[in-house]
Amino acid sequence: MKFGTIRAEGKSVLVLVEEEKLLLLQKAAVKSGIEMVTSLEELIKNEESELNKAESIQKWVKEQKDTEGYYTNFESADWEAPIPRPSKNIFCVGKNYTEHAKELGSEADIPTDIMMFTKAPTSVIGNKADIPIHSEVTSQLDYEGELAVVIGKKGKGISREKALDYVFGYTILNDVTARDLQEKHKQFFLGKSLDGTCPIGPVIVHKSQIENPGSLEILTKVNGDVRQQSNTDQLIFPVEEIISVISKGMTLEPGDIIATGTPAGVGKGMKPPVYLKSGDKIEVTIEKIGTLSNSVR
C-alpha cells in the first residue's frame, strides 16, 4: 500500500494511492461508517488497526456504483510531504556511498563509522513544491537524491537482525544543501536546514511492498539530464545497520524519518562544480516508490 498527504479544501487530507488515482480516505470513511485516523502520522502510530481499516474502506468504495467522488487525480493533486511537519529533525546519514565520499574529497573521506547529521522540520516540503533559491544566504545550492526510511514503532537498542521490524515504510528525500554554508560553519546543520530544502514524497510505500530496501535503483535528473544513478546495494552502511546504530542510545519513534545518504553525481562533485539555479527542475526516482519532483524558484 502507498499513502500520501495532499491539500484539499484548505486542509491536509490522507490519501491511499491507486496507480494514477488517489482515494480520499476520510471522505470514504465517513460514508462507509468506518472510523479511521485523519493523518498519515496517526496511521503510522496505529499501523495494524489503521491499515486494516484502510483496506476495508478501499474494498467498500470498489463495491459502490458511483466511485468518482471518492477519488482525485495523482498528477493534479496539491501534494504535501507525507508527514507535513515531522515532530523531530530528520535523521541523515552522510557520505554513505563510496563514490560520493570520494567525489567530495578522496578515499580518506570514506567513513568507517556512520556519519550523522539532521535537517530541521521547517525545511520539509512536498512533491512539486518550489525549493527557494535562498540567494541572500547561499550561491551553492545542491541536490542529493536519497532513499528515506520511516520508522513504524518505538524502539531502543534495536539489533540489525530485527531492524526492519521497526520500519513502517519507505519514501524519497532530496537533501538539498547549501555547500558554502556547510563549509563556512564547519558542520552540516545550517547548510542542510534552510526553509524548503527537504522535499519528501510523494508517497510512503508500506514495507510489505519492498522486501529488500538494499536493492533499489535510484536516479536523479536535473532538467532531464541524469546526474545520479546507482542502487541502494551500494550503501556503505545498510538500512539495518543505520537503524541499529541510531537506536543504541536513542529511542526511535513512529514517524521518525531517516535519510540514508546520496550516491555520487552531486553538483559540487562536478568539475567545475555546477550548482542549482532558479528554474532548475530536480527529479529523484526510486524503484518501487515513484518520482519526487521539485523546481528551484
Side-chain angles (χ1 to χ4, degrees), residues 19 26 41 49-50 79 116-117 119 125 129 200 208 265 295:
E19 297 181 355
Q26 190 57 30
E41 193 167 23
S49 62
E50 297 305 315
W79 290 96
M116 296 298 306
F117 60 93
K119 294 175 79 80
I125 58 173
I200 303 177
S208 61
S295 295

Side-chain angles (χ1 to χ4, degrees), residues 245-258:
V245 169
I246 294 173
S247 72
K248 282 182 178 178
M250 183 186 303
T251 301
L252 287 171
E253 298 176 304
D256 285 350
I257 300 169
I258 305 171

Side-chain angles (χ1 to χ4, degrees), residues 28-46:
V30 171
K31 291 291 187 180
S32 67
I34 301 171
E35 292 186 13
M36 76 169 296
V37 297
T38 59
S39 73
L40 189 41
E41 193 167 23
E42 291 175 292
L43 186 149
I44 293 167
K45 290 177 181 177
N46 301 279

Side-chain angles (χ1 to χ4, degrees), residues 12 15 80 92 116 118-119 123 125 137 182 203 205-206 217 236 244 268 271 286:
S12 297
V15 294
E80 294 187 333
C92 302
M116 296 298 306
T118 67
K119 294 175 79 80
S123 66
I125 58 173
V137 293
Q182 192 176 13
V203 301
V205 179
H206 189 259
E217 295 290 331
I236 299 170
S244 180
K268 182 178 175 62
K271 301 188 185 305
I286 299 182

Side-chain angles (χ1 to χ4, degrees), residues 18-184:
E18 297 181 6
E19 297 181 355
E20 297 304 311
K21 298 189 299 181
L22 305 176
L23 175 59
L24 304 169
L25 280 171
Q26 190 57 30
K27 185 174 183 179
V30 171
K31 291 291 187 180
S32 67
I34 301 171
E35 292 186 13
M36 76 169 296
V37 297
T38 59
S39 73
L40 189 41
E41 193 167 23
E42 291 175 292
L43 186 149
I44 293 167
K45 290 177 181 177
N46 301 279
E47 177 179 349
E48 186 173 349
S49 62
E50 297 305 315
L51 284 180
N52 289 334
K53 290 177 184 178
E55 289 179 347
S56 297
I57 291 168
Q58 184 181 37
K59 181 181 178 182
W60 179 87
V61 170
K62 291 184 182 302
E63 293 171 347
Q64 305 310 299
K65 290 182 179 180
D66 184 8
T67 63
E68 186 175 346
Y70 300 112
Y71 289 97
T72 191
N73 185 268
F74 187 103
E75 287 301 322
S76 62
D78 182 8
W79 290 96
E80 294 187 333
I83 301 174
R85 182 61 183 269
S87 60
K88 289 184 187 174
N89 284 16
I90 311 302
F91 294 93
C92 302
V93 182
K95 298 182 180 179
N96 201 18
Y97 288 78
T98 298
E99 294 306 313
H100 174 59
K102 289 163 65 175
E103 75 176 345
L104 295 185
S106 67
E107 287 196 11
D109 293 283
I110 300 171
T112 55
D113 291 289
I114 293 178
M115 178 186 294
M116 296 298 306
F117 60 93
T118 67
K119 294 175 79 80
T122 46
S123 66
V124 172
I125 58 173
N127 181 50
K128 296 187 178 180
D130 288 340
I131 301 166
I133 191 66
H134 289 292
S135 58
E136 73 282 3
V137 293
T138 180
S139 60
Q140 297 183 3
L141 207 63
D142 205 354
Y143 55 87
E144 294 189 1
E146 310 194 13
L147 172 71
V149 180
V150 183
I151 296 299
K153 64 179 181 179
K154 187 175 182 178
K156 185 177 179 180
I158 302 166
S159 69
R160 281 189 57 151
E161 294 71 24
K162 294 188 178 299
L164 296 187
D165 294 342
Y166 289 80
V167 172
F168 174 82
Y170 304 93
T171 187
I172 305 169
L173 186 147
N174 185 354
D175 177 19
V176 178
T177 305
R179 300 293 184 192
D180 41 5
L181 294 185
Q182 192 176 13
E183 176 65 24
K184 177 181 179 180

